[in-house]
Amino acid sequence: MSGRPTAADSVNLDFLRAVAVLCVFGSHVYAVLTRRPTELTHHIGQLGVIMFFVHTSLVLMGSLQRSRRWGWALVAEFFVHRAFRIYPLAVVCVLIAALLPDAQWTARQLAANLTLTQNLLYEESMVGGLWTLPIEVQMYVALPFLFIAFRTRAWYWLLGVWLLALVVGTVQSYVSGRLVVLSYAPCFLPGLIAWKLGRRATLPGWLWPLGMLLAALPWLASAGNQMEPRWLTCLLLGLAIPWFREMPWRWLNAASHTLAQYSYGIYLTHYAALMVAFRQMGDVPFAGQVLAFAAMATLWPYLAFHLVERPMMALGRRVGGRVADAVAARSARRAAGVPA
């Protein structure tokens, strides 16, 4: 193996993330403009979500792999980094939704959305697309421990965990809706499998879009809203990622990188832009609505990244480093028998 594919060095993963956000974006645009969402457009939007899950878990494993921390210091740094990455922009979007003139959210709903615990409290999401973030946050709890447990094990051990997760995910719906994260665990675990497989890179990069499409077919071709086709698509995607060399098209790689960089802001703001342009601006000619939507869908993610995401990520790295240093120092004192 020649290293782990990460978003920092893989244009293929940038392309995967770009396609994921465009799937969600496109499905919502179609639904709002036509007012007649179809099963196919729903499946395309959901495909974007599960692609995000595979991508996220793979990239985070690569981040943990590059860390020089060990033990609880590694776990602490990871949690701080993820908190500063996910919460700030989500909190900003939720507060804006809460402050809108016609907002009628309860204190419980606001608390659930600010803490990203809507599924645990059975509360509605206040921002379009926000329902996926509690699942991600709850999966983050397990990721560093899975990294530590399987860092030195072969990839097929994680395949065994994925098979076990299928059983748990199937049982979950009969136990509690609050545990929906367990139903999506088989969507995250293929990212870990891809991480353990590492770079195999025997297939030409120009085939990567086709590889993604073939992996997506079990879910796109399925009917209804079952989890099993999602699980299979994610497994195929995780198994496919390591085998492709990087895509050769510079223009596409540059566009994918830009979309990937702004994808979180696009994901959280595009539905609001749709509502403002095509619902609140009902008296404006359609061409004006389109222009307004294009402007908001471009400007809002740009501002979100540069005013919120990037500064908070930088702060998270500083705070995470200090917290990890403190945890490491405490562990060293305990190992030396020095009172805390």
Side-chain angles (χ1 to χ4, degrees):
M1 300 182 189
S2 60
R4 310 293 184 196
T6 69
D9 62 10
S10 174
V11 296
N12 287 3
L13 292 185
D14 279 344
F15 182 72
L16 174 62
R17 189 170 181 88
V19 169
V21 76
L22 288 177
C23 284
V24 177
F25 183 94
S27 69
H28 286 162
V29 169
Y30 182 87
V32 170
L33 291 184
T34 66
R35 299 178 186 258
R36 294 190 299 273
T38 66
E39 185 172 70
L40 177 59
T41 57
H42 169 72
H43 275 62
I44 290 173
Q46 290 291 302
L47 175 64
V49 170
I50 61 178
M51 281 180 167
F52 270 124
F53 290 166
V54 175
H55 176 278
T56 295
S57 56
L58 168 55
V59 169
L60 292 181
M61 289 301 104
S63 177
L64 287 164
Q65 183 78 30
R66 294 189 300 274
S67 175
R68 294 176 292 179
R69 307 288 183 180
W70 297 89
W72 286 109
L74 175 71
V75 175
E77 184 179 57
F78 176 83
F79 287 156
V80 172
H81 284 179
R82 296 320 298 164
F84 276 85
R85 180 67 183 99
I86 293 297
Y87 276 95
L89 184 57
V91 167
V92 169
C93 292
V94 168
L95 290 177
I96 291 173
L99 293 173
L100 293 176
D102 297 330
Q104 297 180 342
W105 306 105
T106 67
R108 179 184 170 91
Q109 289 170 325
L110 179 60
N113 280 262
L114 288 174
T115 56
L116 299 180
T117 55
Q118 302 97 290
N119 62 319
L120 299 180
L121 297 178
Y122 289 137
E123 291 293 347
E124 181 183 353
S125 292
M126 296 168 59
V127 176
L130 200 70
W131 69 271
T132 67
L133 296 191
I135 297 172
E136 283 206 32
V137 169
Q138 289 152 29
M139 194 65 201
Y140 291 161
V141 175
L143 289 182
F145 300 104
L146 289 169
F147 170 78
I148 292 170
F150 294 96
R151 176 168 44 191
T152 59
R153 297 182 185 274
W155 69 272
Y156 48 78
W157 284 91
L158 279 166
L159 181 59
V161 175
W162 182 81
L163 292 171
L164 177 62
L166 298 186
V167 178
V168 175
T170 302
V171 173
Q172 175 272 320
S173 61
Y174 299 99
V175 178
S176 172
R178 289 186 171 90
L179 302 177
V180 67
V181 63
L182 298 179
S183 288
Y184 283 95
C187 297
F188 285 91
L189 287 168
L192 277 71
I193 294 173
W195 159 67
K196 285 304 298 182
L197 281 170
R199 289 192 188 277
R200 306 293 172 121
T202 58
L203 297 175
W206 58 268
L207 281 176
W208 172 232
L210 177 60
M212 287 174 52
L213 176 61
L214 292 176
L217 286 180
W219 168 242
L220 291 179
S222 67
N225 207 33
Q226 298 90 350
M227 294 302 299
E228 291 83 358
R230 288 180 170 93
W231 298 340
L232 180 56
T233 279
C234 289
L235 178 63
L236 293 175
L237 186 59
L239 291 173
I241 287 171
W243 295 97
F244 290 88
R245 294 193 288 272
E246 299 296 331
M247 295 191 307
W249 306 293
R250 291 186 178 181
W251 63 271
L252 182 57
N253 295 343
S256 298
H257 178 74
T258 299
L259 277 173
Q261 178 173 267
Y262 294 107
S263 59
Y264 187 39
I266 294 171
Y267 184 77
L268 284 184
T269 65
H270 76 277
Y271 196 78
L274 281 167
M275 292 295 100
V276 172
F278 298 107
R279 294 292 185 266
Q280 302 299 322
M281 299 174 61
D283 296 333
V284 176
F286 182 71
Q289 293 176 342
V290 171
L291 288 175
F293 171 66
M296 289 183 287
T298 302
L299 180 61
W300 290 356
Y302 181 85
L303 294 176
F305 180 79
H306 291 282
L307 298 182
V308 181
E309 294 178 66
R310 188 162 67 176
M312 289 297 100
M313 285 189 288
L315 180 59
R317 286 191 291 270
R318 294 195 296 272
V319 174
R322 292 175 182 175
V323 170
D325 286 341
V327 172
R330 178 176 296 182
S331 298
R333 289 194 298 270
R334 287 179 177 175
V338 178

